[in-house]
């Protein structure tokens, strides 16, 4: 019934147009090009950028809307997933309804619209996570994780595409800032300090841990405070926050009934020739070897399932639900953010002791590889 009701709210012509645009080839843009193009955000460059996005964004959004309608195990019919599909169809319709961009006024109006589209999609990740948890509850984990590989592949592709869409919109919108921060080209900070970002992310994670448990272990950070490199600070903030949050929870839960002082989380930033690597280490007891293959799936979490405590939640409420863990998407999403720019995330655990997370970040300044 819910699926039928949502389908009826969109015209048959819209679905046909989505199919047509979804079959078109998307165009990748390299970070090097973004840096060079964005270094001089003239009115002409912004016009060219908006004209590109006017054609590119409907292709990418249409592809995701099509994917959302064809998911296995009934995932497409979960209320939360239908809501996400609703957002994508609304955004596609807004983009296709916008006339050709011919002058600066058109460009400014288009920029305002895609900024609103970005806000509309702010809660896609928690909403999709809720849909997956709804599926997980229905399946009652009677299906082996390996049999759900199709869902994992879809979610990897879906979330990676979302990162790309938000990067394109965010970069274009940020180039309109009349007073950009020093050394910033849109979203990209050409002299980002990974130590500073790690410190900020750790403070945020400790605040959440303190709110959840009443206390939080210390975080010690090591590395060269003068070292900088080009990267997107918001991406790194998200990744380090997730890793530190996981470590804080593990340590806090292991030592909450102990007379011992909880050991600190250690963050080490290393400047290599190929990668910048950030290592997050804890003594939270580690992960059993049997659990390691599951930690990058979207149907696994070592924490309690939020739906077990909030089974009466409306899907619109979950986006603002503040919880330390439970949805099981922090690690896989963080790995996608790392891989988006050619990096990676690896987890090595010693059961009975703790876990080391290695976040590898590619040096981006000269990369001409098109981004997803």
């Amino acid at each position: 019934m819910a699926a039928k009701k949502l389908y009826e709210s969109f015209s048959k012509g819209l679905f046909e147009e989505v199919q047509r645009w979804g079959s078109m080839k998307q165009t990748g843009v390299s970070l090097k090009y973004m840096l060079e193009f964005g270094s001089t955000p003239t009115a002409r460059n912004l016009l060219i950028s908006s004209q590109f996005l006017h054609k590119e964004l409907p292709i990418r959004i249409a592809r995701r809307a099509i994917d959302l309608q064809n998911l296995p195990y009934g995932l497409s019919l979960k209320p939360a997933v239908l809501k996400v599909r609703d957002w994508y169809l609304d955004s596609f319709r807004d983009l296709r309804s916008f006339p050709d961009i011919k002058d600066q006024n058109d460009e400014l109006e288009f920029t305002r619209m895609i900024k609103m589209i970005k806000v509309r999609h702010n809660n896609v990740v928690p909403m999709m996570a809720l849909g997956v948890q709804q599926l997980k509850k229905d399946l009652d984990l009677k299906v082996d994780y390996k049999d759900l590989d199709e869902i994992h592949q879809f979610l990897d592709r879906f979330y990676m595409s979302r990162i790309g869409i938000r990067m394109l919109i965010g970069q274009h919108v940020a180039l309109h800032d009349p007073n950009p921060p020093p050394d910033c080209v849109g979203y990209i900070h050409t002299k980002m300090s990974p130590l500073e970002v790690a410190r900020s992310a750790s403070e945020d994670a400790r605040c959440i841990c303190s709110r959840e448990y009443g206390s939080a272990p210390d975080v010690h950070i090591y590395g060269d405070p003068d070292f900088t490199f080009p990267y997107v600070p918001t991406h790194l903030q998200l990744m380090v926050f997730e890793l530190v949050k996981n470590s804080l929870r593990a340590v806090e839960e292991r030592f909450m009934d102990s007379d011992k002082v909880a050991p600190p989380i250690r963050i080490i930033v290393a400047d290599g020739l190929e990668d910048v690597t950030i290592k997050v280490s804890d003594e939270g007891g580690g992960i059993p070897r049997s659990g390691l293959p599951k930690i990058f799936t979207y149907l696994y979490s070592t924490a309690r399932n939020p739906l077990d405590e909030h089974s009466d939640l409306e899907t619109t409420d979950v986006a603002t639900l503040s919880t330390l863990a439970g949805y099981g998407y922090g690690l896989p999403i963080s790995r996608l953010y790392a891989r988006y720019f050619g990096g990676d995330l690896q987890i090595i655990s010693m059961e009975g002791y703790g876990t080391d997370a290695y976040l590898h970040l590619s040096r981006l300044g000269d990369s001409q590889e098109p981004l997803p």
Side-chain angles (χ1 to χ4, degrees), residues 119-317:
V119 171
R120 175 188 290 153
H121 290 251
N122 277 350
N123 292 322
V124 161
V125 174
M127 196 61 74
M128 282 299 294
L130 177 63
V132 170
Q133 291 297 334
Q134 290 168 342
L135 173 66
K136 180 178 174 180
K137 205 169 180 67
D138 288 349
L139 293 176
D140 197 26
L141 290 188
K142 292 173 182 175
V143 180
D144 191 274
Y145 287 104
K146 295 176 183 176
D147 296 331
L148 297 172
D149 193 50
E150 191 177 347
I151 288 178
H152 299 314
Q153 288 181 13
F154 156 74
L155 290 170
D156 271 346
R157 188 171 64 247
F158 178 81
Y159 289 137
M160 182 67 90
S161 172
R162 179 178 182 272
I163 293 170
I165 290 170
R166 293 178 75 78
M167 182 70 194
L168 288 175
I169 294 176
Q171 181 69 5
H172 177 82
V173 171
L175 290 176
H176 286 75
D177 188 347
N179 299 299
D183 303 311
C184 284
V185 178
Y187 258 19
I188 306 159
H189 196 313
T190 61
K191 295 180 180 178
M192 185 199 73
S193 166
L195 240 70
E196 284 302 313
V197 176
R199 187 171 290 115
S200 171
S202 298
E203 288 171 1
D204 289 348
R206 290 189 77 245
C207 284
I208 288 187
C209 185
S210 294
R211 190 164 67 235
E212 183 83 2
Y213 295 103
S215 62
D218 291 335
V219 178
H220 297 171
I221 304 175
Y222 308 91
D224 180 359
D226 297 323
F227 167 63
T228 64
F229 76 114
Y231 209 77
V232 178
T234 52
H235 288 194
L236 184 57
Q237 174 90 15
L238 180 147
M239 292 184 281
V240 175
F241 170 80
E242 284 294 339
L243 295 176
V244 174
K245 183 183 71 173
N246 288 347
S247 289
L248 290 170
R249 178 172 65 86
V251 170
E252 190 67 29
E253 292 187 353
R254 188 185 188 198
F255 288 88
M256 67 168 55
D257 296 323
S258 172
D259 294 333
K260 298 178 181 178
V261 176
I265 311 310
R266 295 177 303 281
I267 301 177
I268 301 171
V269 179
D271 171 22
L273 292 175
E274 187 174 317
D275 287 339
V276 175
T277 301
I278 298 177
K279 177 184 176 184
V280 179
S281 298
D282 67 61
E283 296 176 38
I287 303 166
R289 193 154 51 95
S290 61
L292 282 173
K294 302 174 185 176
I295 63 174
F296 286 110
T297 72
Y298 296 94
L299 286 166
Y300 176 77
S301 174
T302 56
R304 60 190 180 275
N305 186 338
L307 287 183
D308 293 338
E309 297 184 358
H310 305 277
S311 57
D312 60 341
L313 267 179
E314 293 293 328
T315 55
T316 48
D317 293 333

Side-chain angles (χ1 to χ4, degrees), residues 73-85:
Y73 296 101
L75 182 57
S76 290
L77 299 179
K78 297 303 173 193
V81 177
L82 286 168
K83 195 172 191 66
V84 172
R85 192 211 59 182

